[in-house]
Amino acid sequence: MKKRISYLIALCIAATAIFSACNNENKVPENVTFTEHVAPILYNNCTVCHRPGGGAHFSFITYQDAKKYAGSMAFVTKERIMPPWPADPHYTEFKGQRVLTDKDIEILSKWAKEGAPEGSTDKMPILPKYPSSLAGAPDMRIAVTPYFIKAFSSDKFLLIKVPYELPADTFASLIEFVPGHSNVVHHVNGDMVKYVFEQKKDVFAGERIVNMEEDTATLVKAFQKLGLPNDDGSYPVLQKSVVNYLPGAIGQIYPQGIGGYILPRKGAFLFNDIHYGFTGKDDITDTSYINIFFSKIPPNRPVQEFQLGTLGQAPVEPDLIIMPNTVKPVSSHFKVVNDISILTINPHMHLLGKSFKAYALKPNGDTIRLISIPRWDFNWQYFYTFKKMVKIPANSIIVAEGIYDNTKQNLNNPFSPPQIVTDQTGSMKATDEMFQFIITYLPYKDGDEKISLE
Ligand code: HEC
């Protein structure tokens, strides 16, 4: 017997070099308890959302609260539904990614099976801090027009305009969105409308909110209703994606010297898509706001953006017309003219999305992986920031590939029976489709790929 054990140990030592399975670090403990084993996993991966004021409706902070969910936690983690992170971490890794290890998943499962014991309270870890702002007190705070939502109402998709006027053009290092009711504000994509002072008399004129579902508006009609055009009817410059938000997502703060904005004297933030999720049993009035942090220096390397697919610089091929009872692959190709450094990417599809993949093909035929989302999830559309910038050499082709499932097997299909769905109407309704891949980048500079974005 003894000999057998030492043989096993020897095997383990040899194997540890290859697998980590024999390493004690990776063994699930004999007695799994909340305070010692479960709470650290929840505090690192879940309570950013599952806490009062977080993005989810229920909290896992105390033993009493978490215990009730032991069974469903085991299930959703095993299925990798939670924590929400649709990107395949084996394909590419990103800043702030939330992915449980197999060991974490086993601990949660064992804890549930063994009746969710508490353990000794002096083992309890300290709850991390969750500040509502990434950068402290802002130099300017602008309230978003309060929005009233009735109890038990369905999801809302809105366009909201947040106008402002400043004494002079102003540099800013960070613009962030802070949700009022964080468990209702689901996602927010915000652009900046930049007026030339003389071309727009009153930035405050026009509606503040357009509901795309109720108004069945095209984007152009919605923009007019919001009073976005210049006085002569032409359109001002739109800087894309300056302020995005998703519960629990890491804000887009880049290292010093990268990014930054110029706020014109007259401008507006345009939330081209703000999604309010399920309210529950109470009426609520959401008052979110925008924090702006000024900067004395002009943006040194302002972030630029291009977009493949619907409304973008490269078309969807073939046209995004998805016939009922079909599964349809599409793609979009974009040739990069100069060397660029990619910072952040955002794949976008609606409810029929099934999977998404993007990569770059270098002129020499090599592939640079960008992202793979094997199981598309409409609810979790992150702006994925790379840990380090990814250099794409000139003349590479960026390829984005999506698959849509317009069968009744797709549980998210908004129509029963399935109907023709397209992106042709220029509307942004969730029941219409889109295929987009947004890339933020900088013109490449020597050494970019060594700069950490974390
Ligand atoms: C980025 C935010 C976020 C993170 C991180 C997160 N969750 Fe969730 N979770 C949600 C949201 C949103 C829901 C949907 C219900 C709601 O709105 O409260 C949810 C639902 C759940 C549910 C209920 C599922 C169901 O359908 O009944 C469980 C259980 C759960 N999460 C467990 C976890 C666990 C365990 C972790 C960490 C390992 C985690 N979650 C991390 C946001 C998050």
Side-chain angles (χ1 to χ4, degrees):
M1 185 66 182
K2 209 168 170 197
K3 201 165 165 204
R4 182 113 183 259
I5 290 169
S6 60
Y7 166 74
L8 265 179
I9 291 169
L11 188 74
C12 261
I13 291 166
T16 315
I18 310 165
F19 303 102
S20 48
C22 299
N23 191 330
N24 257 342
E25 288 274 287
N26 281 297
K27 253 178 70 186
V28 175
E30 203 58 47
N31 299 302
V32 171
T33 64
F34 180 76
T35 56
E36 193 176 350
H37 309 105
V38 173
I41 298 173
L42 303 181
Y43 285 13
N44 281 328
N45 299 284
C46 319
T47 47
V48 63
C49 296
H50 289 279
R51 70 188 154 93
H57 287 91
F58 41 91
S59 166
F60 297 156
I61 289 178
T62 65
Y63 170 65
Q64 299 308 331
D65 285 338
K67 180 174 81 167
K68 292 181 265 180
Y69 294 95
S72 45
M73 277 186 203
F75 175 77
V76 295
T77 51
K78 184 157 172 283
E79 294 293 319
R80 294 198 181 272
I81 297 166
M82 287 282 146
W85 191 262
D88 176 1
H90 302 295
Y91 192 75
T92 34
E93 297 200 338
F94 296 95
K95 167 178 162 177
Q97 68 179 28
R98 264 185 223 105
V99 181
L100 294 187
T101 64
D102 292 343
K103 179 188 169 189
D104 294 338
I105 292 170
E106 264 182 69
I107 288 177
L108 291 174
S109 152
K110 190 158 189 251
W111 183 60
K113 260 189 223 132
E114 292 173 359
E118 179 169 19
S120 145
T121 48
D122 56 326
K123 293 264 167 64
M124 197 63 184
I126 294 167
L127 187 70
K129 288 210 169 24
Y130 300 107
S132 65
S133 164
L134 291 168
D139 298 298
M140 178 160 93
R141 172 172 287 187
I142 317 178
V144 176
T145 305
Y147 186 67
F148 173 78
I149 311 172
K150 265 203 101 43
F152 298 117
S153 53
S154 60
D155 292 34
K156 302 255 180 292
F157 298 90
L158 310 175
L159 264 82
I160 299 187
K161 176 177 90 160
V162 186
Y164 71 82
E165 211 169 324
L166 286 163
D169 289 359
T170 306
F171 305 132
S173 56
L174 175 67
I175 303 169
E176 69 178 2
F177 178 89
V178 181
H181 281 264
S182 53
N183 56 7
V184 189
V185 182
H186 199 275
H187 76 249
V188 174
N189 293 346
D191 306 334
M192 183 164 40
V193 185
K194 305 176 97 165
Y195 291 104
V196 174
F197 190 77
E198 297 75 27
Q199 290 181 355
K200 181 82 176 169
K201 205 178 280 156
D202 184 4
V203 286
F204 298 95
E207 310 256 320
R208 295 294 168 86
I209 300 178
V210 169
N211 182 333
M212 291 303 278
E213 314 285 317
E214 280 168 16
D215 294 315
T216 53
T218 61
L219 268 186
V220 171
K221 280 194 196 140
F223 286 175
Q224 280 162 352
K225 228 174 165 177
L226 293 170
L228 290 178
N230 290 316
D231 297 337
D232 68 1
S234 63
Y235 274 88
V237 169
L238 192 72
Q239 187 175 345
K240 300 283 291 173
S241 307
V242 299
V243 51
N244 301 317
Y245 170 82
L246 192 64
I250 310 290
Q252 272 142 278
I253 299 190
Y254 296 124
Q256 269 222 313
I258 294 177
Y261 309 91
I262 301 173
L263 305 181
R265 278 175 74 181
K266 280 183 181 167
F269 294 97
L270 172 66
F271 295 118
N272 66 38
D273 189 12
I274 172 160
H275 172 190
Y276 281 107
F278 184 62
T279 41
K281 63 178 177 17
D282 300 314
D283 290 353
I284 65 145
T285 299
D286 180 64
T287 319
S288 298
Y289 51 89
I290 299 169
N291 278 347
I292 301 172
F293 298 82
F294 294 154
S295 164
K296 290 204 170 53
I297 43 170
N300 178 18
R301 300 182 72 190
V303 173
Q304 302 179 36
E305 178 174 308
F306 60 84
Q307 190 174 306
L308 282 70
T310 313
L311 308 171
Q313 281 112 304
V316 186
E317 296 165 280
D319 284 345
L320 193 58
I321 299 167
I322 313 164
M323 300 306 281
N325 307 308
T326 61
V327 171
K328 176 168 177 129
V330 298
S331 63
S332 186
H333 302 76
F334 183 79
K335 188 166 179 175
V336 176
V337 184
N338 300 305
D339 289 357
I340 61 167
S341 300
I342 297 186
L343 299 153
T344 296
I345 54 178
N346 171 235
H348 180 61
M349 305 198 275
H350 291 174
L351 296 160
L352 298 184
K354 183 179 167 73
S355 66
F356 187 101
K357 190 173 194 175
Y359 49 89
L361 289 173
K362 296 209 291 193
N364 69 5
D366 286 355
T367 299
I368 302 172
R369 296 174 173 194
L370 296 175
I371 190 164
S372 170
I373 298 181
R375 193 170 52 179
W376 178 255
D377 187 338
F378 176 74
N379 278 315
W380 299 103
Q381 308 201 26
Y382 292 97
F383 279 76
Y384 294 91
T385 298
F386 287 102
K387 294 183 165 188
K388 286 182 177 157
M389 283 185 258
V390 177
K391 178 184 175 183
I392 308 288
N395 298 316
S396 299
I397 297 189
I398 296 189
V399 182
E401 297 170 342
I403 297 178
Y404 291 85
D405 183 350
N406 194 5
T407 68
K408 61 175 191 283
Q409 278 74 37
N410 176 355
L411 300 178
N412 297 316
N413 198 324
F415 300 110
S416 173
Q419 295 178 17
I420 297 185
V421 174
T422 74
D423 70 348
Q424 301 295 303
T425 59
S427 106
M428 294 175 54
K429 289 163 75 169
T431 49
D432 285 333
E433 266 307 332
M434 285 183 114
F435 180 70
Q436 286 184 326
F437 186 48
I438 299 169
I439 296 179
T440 64
Y441 72 97
L442 298 170
Y444 176 76
K445 263 194 188 166
D446 260 352
D448 269 357
E449 55 277 74
K450 296 199 193 84
I451 300 175
S452 169
L453 299 176
E454 292 192 87

